[in-house]
Amino acid sequence: MWVELGHFCLILASVLTLFCGLAGLIGGIQQINSLLAPVRMATLLIAVLLAASFAALTQAFVADDFSVRYVASHSNSLLPLFYKVAAVWGGHEGSLLLWGLMLSFWAAAVSLLSHGLPERLQMLVPAVLALLGLGFLLFILLTSNPFERLNPVPIDGADLNPLLQDIGLVAHPPFLYLGYVGFSVAFAFAIAALITGQLDAAWAKFSRPWTVAAWVFLTIGILLGSMWAYYELGWGGWWFWDPVENASFMPWIAGTALIHSLAVAEKRGVFKHWTVLLAISAFSLSLLGTFLVRSGVLTSVHAFATDPARGSFILAFLALVVGAALALYAWRAPALAQSVRFTWLSREASLLLNNVFLVAACAAVFIGTLFPLLMDALGGGKFSVGPPYFNRVLTPLWLALLFFLSIAPSLHWRENKWVRFARRSYICWAAALLLGALTPLLFGEWRWGVALALALAWGVLLAAAQDIVQRLRNTGRGLSWGQALRRQPRAFIGMHLAHIGLAVFAMGATVVTAYETEYDAVIMPRETLTLGEHQVTFQNLQGFVGPNYEALIGHFRIADENGRVMGLLRPEKRQYVSGGEPMTEAAIMRNFLGDIYISLGEMQGSDRATSGWLIRLYTKPLMGWVWAGCLFMVLGGGLAMTDPRYRRRKVKEKAEHPGSAPAYRPTYSEPPKETA
């Protein structure tokens, strides 16, 4: 009964999305304000129905209802309850239902929290989101129904993929989908603004916090996926330029550029073309990621499904969405003309160049990801585009991005004098160059490329710190540092926290890539080997029986070159009852300056007590800085999107200066004064 109820709710939600989309479009275009209440009610009801449908599918997993094909394919009676719930989105059908649920939640949130919007936008934005949701719900009902029954009913299920039985992969998909789907809100605002022709500062202000929220969730999702790959797969890497990894990275890059473009459009009324195209691109790349993961064109540990019919449906939907959006943009492009001028030594120019490098990086990832697929489809044979291509192409782009990001805080809007700019920034850059030259000495061999990258990263960090201190001095006279800091806008603090996070990430990624070491060895129980600067002692091997797996746990003592014990590590080899290859669970010793990472390989013989075991030991300097940088970016984005000035009513309308952003209606809130 629960299964049929969930299926019915899914069908009813599809009908309501059609009504909401059509009513919202008609009401917004024709300015029929009486349709606002029905559209808002339908938006909320869609979210309730999809939540009920998702709850029904969850109940089927918890109750071990193997009469449902999807449950039988991705769960079994031995699976722990926690993973039974996670198995709801562990396969193709359930993950699409989760996507639809997230989209309905975003639409409901926009409907509830955007009462300050003009009534036309209050109808058009949910309408666009509803039509997007209709496409996904039809995809689920026609090709990927998670409520399909199975006859005869099996005694037990096939189990959840062992790779997904991990806390990282439990949380990774929901956050990733929140980010993916969140860019649909920025897309919907852009489409609604194009329909109405009101592409002004108010539109950028309303869209900005939603875009930042989506970017924050996507950052968390990518971070969780990278951490999972780092400790679960046993190869010691945190990013391999896998096509499915790239599928999430491309909308992240486009979303980063969109945030900066929205900030300039809001403050100065420029970059409207950039902003609209980036809003379309960010969501289109999210749809492209869905196509890559679910079409069967990729072979990856992250990919779902191998049914070409499903891929064809998503590809047609992607072409329809992108084609309609670009056609609408081409129609409205003449209305995006702007007369605001700025010099090349200005904050606008710095942010423009940042966006140029971000878009170039996104294009490079796009080409490297899709070129092998295109050549294969055209009969050109199999091609492999791996880390060497991405590292060589993207490294100069990232370095240029760091450079312009480091000078932006020292620049004012419109124009700057070279003398004043140099006076503000020379101390910061002298310190950055010195720190960049000295930091590699902490890790052994000095390399000029590493020193350059670290100098640029230090430049970003010090420029952000300098701008914060200068602002506190200017606005906090007579106050303590803590009081002055609390009085600063959240958008300002959040902006600099995100930039500091990027700098910390760049330092960690540079050092760990340049100075990590890897050792492979065969070691006997109770034997001690010297691997690099560490002494590794294999103490013993312990058996363990889990709820649905059996494991062998190796106990290893790690000491430094002087014999001083640093810690104990316990890597595992697991064999799940569902069969398949044994799974590796790496063990990691973390500290401020780096990680020591060990994974247990295969037994080199037939006797467990006397045979040697293959192990792999990595030393990864500043690995924790990679994760810390991402967390700083998340914290900064979270602060920026909750700035209360986005919700404050504006009393008096006045453009900052002639030729800047068009004045907007008195009901709109005052936009924050900081850039991204």
Side-chain angles (χ1 to χ4, degrees):
M1 184 64 183
W2 279 103
V3 173
E4 281 67 34
L5 179 61
H7 194 191
F8 175 75
C9 289
L10 188 60
I11 295 172
L12 187 56
S14 303
V15 176
L16 277 177
T17 55
L18 178 60
F19 164 78
C20 183
L22 294 179
L25 281 180
I26 294 172
I29 294 173
Q30 301 295 327
Q31 301 188 50
I32 306 174
N33 294 336
S34 60
L35 288 175
L36 175 58
V39 168
R40 182 174 294 157
M41 182 60 67
T43 301
L44 300 178
L45 189 55
I46 291 168
V48 172
L49 288 171
L50 288 179
S53 180
F54 193 82
L57 185 60
T58 304
Q59 168 62 23
F61 272 89
V62 172
D64 293 330
D65 187 355
F66 300 122
S67 67
V68 179
R69 183 185 299 275
Y70 181 65
V71 176
S73 300
H74 296 89
S75 180
N76 64 26
S77 57
L78 296 178
L79 194 66
L81 178 62
F82 184 67
Y83 291 127
K84 285 182 180 179
V85 175
V88 177
W89 56 81
H92 171 78
E93 293 84 353
S95 65
L96 282 176
L97 184 58
L98 178 64
W99 180 291
L101 178 66
M102 296 296 186
L103 183 57
S104 71
F105 283 170
W106 279 106
V110 171
S111 183
L112 290 173
L113 300 177
S114 298
H115 289 281
L117 284 169
E119 291 180 332
R120 294 184 70 187
L121 288 182
Q122 289 190 56
M123 288 184 283
L124 286 172
V125 172
V128 174
L129 293 173
L131 292 177
L132 292 174
L134 177 62
F136 273 96
L137 294 182
L138 289 177
F139 181 36
I140 295 172
L141 289 171
L142 298 178
T143 70
S144 310
N145 184 6
F147 299 104
E148 181 182 352
R149 291 287 191 178
L150 187 62
N151 189 24
V153 179
I155 298 176
D156 208 341
D159 198 11
L160 178 66
N161 185 341
L163 284 172
L164 305 182
Q165 295 185 39
D166 180 86
I167 184 62
L169 260 291
V170 170
H172 166 66
F175 280 107
L176 196 68
Y177 290 175
L178 277 170
Y180 268 162
V181 181
F183 284 125
S184 66
V185 178
F187 175 83
F189 269 103
I191 297 301
L194 287 172
I195 292 174
T196 61
Q198 296 177 348
L199 292 125
D200 52 16
W203 153 68
K205 179 191 76 69
F206 287 128
S207 182
R208 188 176 171 190
W210 297 101
T211 305
V212 174
W215 181 87
V216 167
F217 287 125
L218 185 58
T219 304
I220 296 173
I222 294 174
L223 171 62
L224 291 173
S226 180
M227 294 179 71
W228 165 82
Y230 176 63
Y231 65 75
E232 178 70 23
L233 298 183
W235 57 283
W238 52 276
W239 195 265
F240 193 64
W241 297 108
D242 181 278
V244 179
E245 292 176 337
N246 297 345
S248 63
F249 190 43
M250 287 187 288
W252 186 90
I253 300 174
T256 304
L258 175 59
I259 291 171
H260 290 81
S261 188
L262 281 168
V264 185
E266 175 188 336
K267 175 69 177 180
R268 296 278 289 124
V270 294
F271 296 1
K272 293 179 182 179
H273 290 276
W274 273 99
T275 307
V276 172
L277 288 175
L278 286 171
I280 295 172
S281 299
F283 182 62
S284 299
L285 290 170
S286 297
L287 290 179
L288 177 64
T290 305
F291 165 72
L292 292 176
V293 176
R294 291 168 177 82
S295 63
V297 301
L298 294 179
T299 301
S300 168
V301 296
H302 309 275
F304 295 101
T306 56
D307 186 355
R310 293 171 173 175
S312 300
F313 188 105
I314 298 178
L315 189 60
F317 182 61
L318 173 64
L320 177 63
V321 171
V322 176
L326 292 179
L328 184 60
Y329 166 76
W331 175 48
R332 287 295 193 184
L336 303 182
Q338 56 197 40
S339 59
V340 181
R341 297 184 181 276
F342 55 86
T343 66
W344 282 107
L345 188 61
S346 64
R347 185 167 291 188
E348 293 96 325
S350 177
L351 291 171
L352 174 62
L353 290 171
N354 264 337
N355 273 6
V356 168
F357 289 115
L358 283 169
V359 170
C362 188
V365 177
F366 181 88
I367 293 171
T369 303
L370 294 187
F371 177 76
L373 303 179
L374 179 62
M375 292 302 296
D376 189 24
L378 296 177
K382 297 288 185 179
F383 285 83
S384 177
V385 177
Y389 161 81
F390 292 103
N391 293 335
R392 291 178 182 176
V393 173
L394 292 179
T395 296
L397 296 176
W398 292 132
L399 294 178
L401 178 68
L402 288 173
F403 171 73
F404 286 105
L405 192 59
S406 67
I407 67 174
S410 300
L411 296 172
H412 297 293
W413 295 109
R414 301 184 68 182
E415 61 180 344
N416 294 261
K417 300 296 183 182
W418 277 104
V419 174
R420 184 176 179 181
F421 166 69
R423 189 185 306 121
R424 292 191 63 186
S425 58
Y426 81 93
I427 295 178
C428 173
W429 265 108
L433 291 172
L434 179 62
L435 289 170
L438 294 178
T439 304
L441 298 178
L442 298 174
F443 306 99
E445 180 185 359
W446 193 92
R447 304 178 187 178
W448 73 267
V450 174
L452 174 62
L454 291 176
L456 291 170
W458 277 115
V460 174
L461 192 152
L462 294 176
Q466 181 187 46
D467 197 34
I468 293 174
V469 171
Q470 186 65 38
R471 174 131 180 176
L472 293 179
R473 287 176 176 172
N474 293 339
T475 63
R477 291 185 174 89
L479 301 174
S480 68
W481 284 100
Q483 291 172 327
L485 186 63
R486 286 192 294 270
R487 293 184 60 179
Q488 301 307 313
R490 293 182 189 175
F492 172 78
I493 300 299
M495 168 189 72
H496 283 308
L497 274 178
H499 291 171
I500 290 172
L502 180 62
V504 172
F505 171 86
M507 292 179 190
T510 300
V511 170
V512 74
T513 302
Y515 296 110
E516 68 176 347
T517 58
E518 174 185 342
Y519 304 96
D520 292 324
V522 176
I523 187 170
M524 302 282 291
R526 294 175 295 279
E527 182 183 5
T528 298
L529 294 179
T530 299
L531 301 177
E533 298 178 353
H534 299 93
Q535 297 179 14
V536 181
T537 301
F538 187 2
Q539 294 180 319
N540 57 44
L541 199 64
Q542 175 189 0
F544 178 79
V545 179
N548 62 335
Y549 66 88
E550 294 181 353
L552 288 174
I553 304 175
H555 293 254
F556 293 86
R557 185 182 65 197
I558 310 297
D560 62 17
E561 54 190 347
N562 297 320
R564 185 179 56 193
V565 176
M566 302 173 64
L568 300 176
L569 293 177
R570 298 177 178 86
E572 298 182 30
K573 295 290 288 187
R574 291 183 179 181
Q575 181 65 58
Y576 285 82
V577 296
S578 57
E581 294 294 325
M583 302 297 300
T584 298
E585 297 286 331
I588 304 170
M589 183 188 303
R590 297 180 172 89
N591 59 54
F592 181 76
L593 291 178
D595 291 357
I596 298 175
Y597 178 112
I598 189 169
S599 61
L600 184 63
E602 301 301 325
M603 183 173 62
Q604 306 298 299
S606 57
D607 186 356
R608 183 181 301 176
T610 59
S611 297
W613 287 78
L614 180 65
I615 63 168
R616 179 167 294 173
L617 179 76
Y618 298 92
T619 60
K620 293 181 170 291
L622 296 193
M623 186 64 228
W625 290 41
V626 173
W627 318 129
C630 294
L631 291 176
F632 272 114
M633 286 189 271
V634 169
L635 179 59
L639 280 176
M641 76 182 185
T642 58
D643 193 311
R645 294 178 301 165
Y646 286 116
R647 303 183 296 276
R648 188 177 301 156
R649 297 289 183 180
K650 183 167 182 175
V651 178
K652 183 179 180 181
E653 297 302 318
K654 183 180 180 181
E656 183 183 355
H657 41 71
S660 68
Y664 39 91
R665 300 182 182 180
T667 56
Y668 297 168
S669 304
E670 177 69 19
K673 298 300 184 185
E674 286 73 41
T675 67

